[in-house]
Amino acid sequence: MFKKKEWTPRVEEPKYKARLVAKGYNQIPKVDFTDVFSPVVKHSSIRALLGIVAMHNLELEQLDVKAAFLHGEHDEDIYVQQPEGFTVLEKEDYVCLLKNSFYGLKQSPRQWYKRFDSFMTSHDFKRSSYDSCVYFKKNSYGSFVYLLLYVNDMLIVAKDKCEIRNVKTQLSE
């Protein structure tokens, strides 16, 4: 995918961006993929958490994970055709084996969520039985830290900014 990002005239030059995206619309269900899932927190969970924030005067921050789908790891081998413009001469029939998840693939959101869930549970967060995109952890002071996941966006709630910084530090490792 190629994109020209226009900027303010006489202030900055336009930027040219490229992103390698798989043609997921060509994937065949039950052949190329089985489960499709994108982690989306329920609206009722967001409303409940915002009520808790207001009632207990908690801190709330929003966080966006850049290139989230590139962090997933696939359970099976996935091959794609060589990208247009990057075809190796005399090897045009060769294909590429993907080592990581990729934008455009039907299974990428699920793989991202599986890795994220594994990370959160390994850091002592519990997943809500009501909503699989709500995580919480009781800290040593007895207060809770909450994290809500909406695809690659998160809401983090805690008693103070220091606790939120600690969670953000863990997430960036």
Side-chain angles (χ1 to χ4, degrees), residues 56-155:
H56 296 287
N57 197 26
L58 300 176
E59 296 291 331
L60 175 120
E61 283 194 28
Q62 186 269 340
L63 179 66
D64 177 51
V65 179
K66 301 290 182 208
F69 291 173
L70 302 180
H71 298 293
E73 297 165 355
H74 289 288
D75 301 330
E76 68 276 332
D77 288 341
I78 298 177
Y79 296 91
V80 295
Q81 293 175 336
Q82 294 181 51
E84 194 176 310
F86 291 94
T87 308
V88 178
L89 294 175
E90 298 179 14
K91 296 181 181 178
E92 291 83 3
D93 295 338
Y94 283 34
V95 293
C96 302
L97 171 65
L98 295 182
K99 292 187 176 184
N100 288 31
S101 195
F102 213 61
Y103 276 91
L105 292 174
K106 302 284 187 187
Q107 55 270 61
S108 291
R110 180 177 176 74
Q111 296 311 115
W112 149 245
Y113 175 73
K114 284 171 71 173
R115 185 162 181 199
F116 179 81
D117 182 66
S118 173
F119 176 86
M120 293 301 288
T121 53
S122 73
H123 283 78
D124 300 325
F125 276 84
K126 306 283 186 240
R127 186 175 357 104
S128 167
S129 56
Y130 170 72
D131 188 337
S132 61
C133 292
V134 174
Y135 294 86
F136 59 93
K137 177 181 180 179
K138 191 172 188 176
N139 64 25
S140 57
Y141 311 112
S143 64
F144 283 89
V145 177
Y146 300 95
L147 188 142
L148 275 59
L149 179 66
Y150 190 96
V151 187
N152 65 330
D153 290 303
M154 297 175 215
L155 289 177

Side-chain angles (χ1 to χ4, degrees), residues 63 119 162-173:
L63 179 66
F119 176 86
C162 183
E163 290 178 88
I164 291 176
R165 255 192 318 276
N166 289 341
V167 173
K168 288 168 91 171
T169 301
Q170 288 178 348
L171 291 170
S172 65
E173 292 175 347

